Amino acid sequence: MSDYKPKPKSPPRKSSTPRIAMDALLEDPAGNNPIRRALWLEGLDRRLRPYLPPSLAAHARLANFERGRLVFVVDAPVWRAKLRLAAPELLDAARSIGLDAAEFVVKTTIPNPVAAPVRKAKPMSAATLMSLQAALASLKKPDPSGSSDTG
């Protein structure tokens, strides 16, 4: 008889091909994946949105839910006041879908200056155009020949 022993099987090798980026981002064994949390909050926002007053829905969004605090963000102080009035209904709606919501917080965002609409320039009046042309003409170097021919 021989003393041959088969080698223990090594674990299967991982494929060397790149994985899809989203799959890699969503895989988190610790369970604290920010991408997964953002997707969960987006789904929660979609479930609570029907409980917002119609005029307010375009100006408010769910920002967070943690330790019983339901946090919404609005784009202007006037919407903050209106959303505070809808707080009891939104807390009840959150409880009805299984959240242990006890507190309601509304925050106002600061408008993004980059996203501000660009204003079109007003057309110049004839008098402004003539004054601008005269100012530009006065900045031109004088003719070295000494003639002042402006004809």
Side-chain angles (χ1 to χ4, degrees):
M1 295 226 271
S2 79
D3 291 333
Y4 172 75
K5 291 182 183 176
K7 287 184 180 179
K9 290 187 177 184
S10 60
R13 292 181 62 192
K14 289 187 176 180
S15 170
S16 62
T17 59
R19 292 179 28 213
I20 297 176
M22 189 59 125
D23 291 340
L25 288 172
L26 290 175
E27 185 180 292
D28 185 9
N32 55 0
N33 185 307
I35 304 291
R36 196 175 299 277
R37 177 147 176 89
L39 292 171
W40 177 74
L41 285 171
E42 180 186 8
L44 193 56
D45 180 55
R46 276 184 272 143
R47 292 179 74 184
L48 293 175
R49 188 156 296 281
Y51 297 98
L52 289 169
S55 63
L56 183 61
H59 303 279
R61 73 179 192 287
L62 179 69
N64 198 11
F65 176 76
E66 192 170 29
R67 293 187 214 111
R69 291 178 64 193
L70 198 59
V71 181
F72 274 83
V73 177
V74 294
D75 56 16
V78 67
W79 301 116
R80 181 175 191 243
K82 291 185 181 204
L83 187 57
R84 301 267 321 144
L85 294 174
E89 292 84 10
L90 285 166
L91 282 171
D92 288 341
R95 290 183 198 117
S96 73
I97 60 173
L99 297 176
D100 188 22
E103 188 179 353
F104 191 83
V105 178
V106 183
K107 297 187 176 192
T108 306
T109 60
I110 299 171
N112 186 353
V114 175
V118 178
R119 293 186 205 173
K120 280 189 170 180
K122 292 181 182 178
M124 272 192 240
S125 68
T128 303
L129 183 59
M130 286 176 49
S131 297
L132 183 59
Q133 287 172 340
L136 287 172
S138 71
L139 295 175
K140 291 182 181 176
K141 291 184 180 180
D143 188 11
S145 66
S147 69
S148 60
D149 191 23
T150 59

